[in-house]
């Protein structure tokens, strides 16, 4: 039971009751409609500060038609940080060092987050992973807050702020919106990084091990 409580503490965030319905009168002439119509509590959008205040460098992968990615590991190949790896914690693709993709690698304490979809799936990545076009790698001014930032982006509040900025049918998060993502002082809260590996193992594997052992 203690192991389960530890897992719950690691994945749980602040929650608030969501209203079943709401309406209000608002002036849309001086605001972006997607923000004004997205929440019954627009004051929440003014809290915190932009993610850009924390990030020294943004990196997003590139395509390479000359060197295909491999689905099997092999000596010399580099692991790829992509959306599938963020979701599962399992490396599914590898890249040749000769590929132009390999010009963008994760650095120690980078926070990697998904570039598409509602789920942030943000993690503190190991160094030496090839940055895929499906993710953003964020190098922070203060690497010590990387675990706190990843936890915030995966929290209910962080996911909500992210959802407000998704655009297009592919639910894409462009670089401008990444810069303007609202974060709060909770990113500075301490995180027990020794309690579990920042990247994995995947939650499904951890729960299976606990429940069936």
């Amino acid at each position: 039971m203690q192991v389960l409580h530890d897992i719950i503490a690691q994945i749980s965030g602040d929650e608030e009751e969501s209203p079943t319905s709401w309406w209000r009168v608002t002036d849309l002439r001086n605001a972006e409609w997607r923000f004004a119509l997205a929440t019954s509590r627009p004051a929440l959008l003014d809290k915190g500060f932009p993610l850009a205040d924390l990030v020294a460098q943004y990196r997003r992968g590139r395509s390479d038609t000359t060197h295909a990615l491999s689905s099997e590991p092999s000596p010399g190949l580099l692991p790829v940080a992509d959306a599938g790896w963020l979701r599962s914690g399992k490396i599914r693709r590898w890249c040749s060092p000769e590929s132009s993709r390999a010009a963008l690698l994760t650095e120690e304490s980078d926070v990697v987050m998904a570039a598409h979809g509602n789920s942030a799936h943000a993690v503190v990545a190991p160094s030496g992973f090839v940055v895929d076009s499906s993710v953003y790698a964020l190098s922070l001014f203060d690497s010590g807050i990387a675990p706190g930032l990843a936890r915030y982006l995966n929290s209910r509040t962080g996911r909500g702020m992210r959802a407000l900025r998704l655009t297009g049918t592919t639910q894409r998060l462009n670089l401008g919106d990444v810069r303007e993502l609202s974060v709060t002082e909770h990113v500075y809260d301490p995180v027990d990084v020794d309690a579990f590996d920042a990247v994995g193992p995947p939650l499904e594997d951890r729960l299976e091990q606990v429940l069936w052992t």
Side-chain angles (χ1 to χ4, degrees):
M1 287 302 298
Q2 185 57 50
V3 176
L4 284 174
H5 285 308
D6 291 341
I7 292 176
I8 292 172
Q10 293 161 12
I11 64 175
S12 296
D14 296 334
E15 295 187 4
E16 60 184 32
E17 186 176 351
S18 177
T20 56
S21 64
W22 57 271
W23 68 270
R24 61 187 171 86
V25 177
T26 187
D27 187 347
L28 298 177
R29 290 173 295 181
N30 298 312
E32 287 194 58
W33 284 40
R34 57 174 172 159
F35 299 148
L37 301 177
T39 175
S40 61
R41 301 169 61 191
L44 293 176
L45 299 176
D46 298 326
K47 291 186 176 181
F49 53 92
L51 181 61
D53 290 357
L54 305 177
V55 180
Q57 185 182 31
Y58 305 82
R59 294 191 302 286
R60 188 176 181 186
R62 60 191 65 173
S63 60
D64 182 357
T65 57
T66 304
H67 299 87
L69 295 175
S70 173
S71 59
E72 298 293 336
S74 181
L77 296 184
L78 300 171
V80 176
D82 57 14
W85 170 75
L86 284 180
R87 286 192 300 269
S88 68
K90 298 178 181 179
I91 304 170
R92 302 182 186 277
R93 298 195 298 171
W94 286 260
C95 176
S96 167
E98 286 75 33
S99 171
S100 61
R101 294 187 181 93
L104 295 178
L105 300 176
T106 57
E107 300 176 359
E108 186 176 358
S109 296
D110 275 358
V111 174
V112 176
M113 60 181 291
H116 301 270
N118 284 312
S119 298
H121 296 304
V123 301
V124 182
S127 60
F129 274 56
V130 175
V131 181
D132 188 65
S133 59
S134 62
V135 304
Y136 288 101
L138 315 176
S139 295
L140 308 180
F141 292 115
D142 180 3
S143 60
I145 67 170
L149 176 60
R151 180 181 59 186
Y152 171 80
L153 293 173
N154 286 320
S155 71
R156 179 173 180 175
T157 302
R159 294 196 308 270
M161 293 299 182
R162 171 192 176 89
L164 291 176
R165 296 184 175 276
L166 293 173
T167 59
T169 56
T170 59
Q171 296 290 279
R172 179 175 57 89
L173 196 66
N174 62 44
L175 181 56
D177 283 327
V178 172
R179 294 177 185 272
E180 293 301 319
L181 273 177
S182 296
V183 297
T184 69
E185 296 295 329
H186 287 301
V187 300
Y188 295 104
D189 293 344
V191 177
D192 185 4
V193 295
D194 295 327
F196 66 107
D197 189 316
V199 175
L203 177 61
E204 59 184 292
D205 292 347
R206 293 163 59 200
L207 289 175
E208 181 177 4
Q209 181 179 7
V210 172
L211 297 175
W212 293 100
T213 298

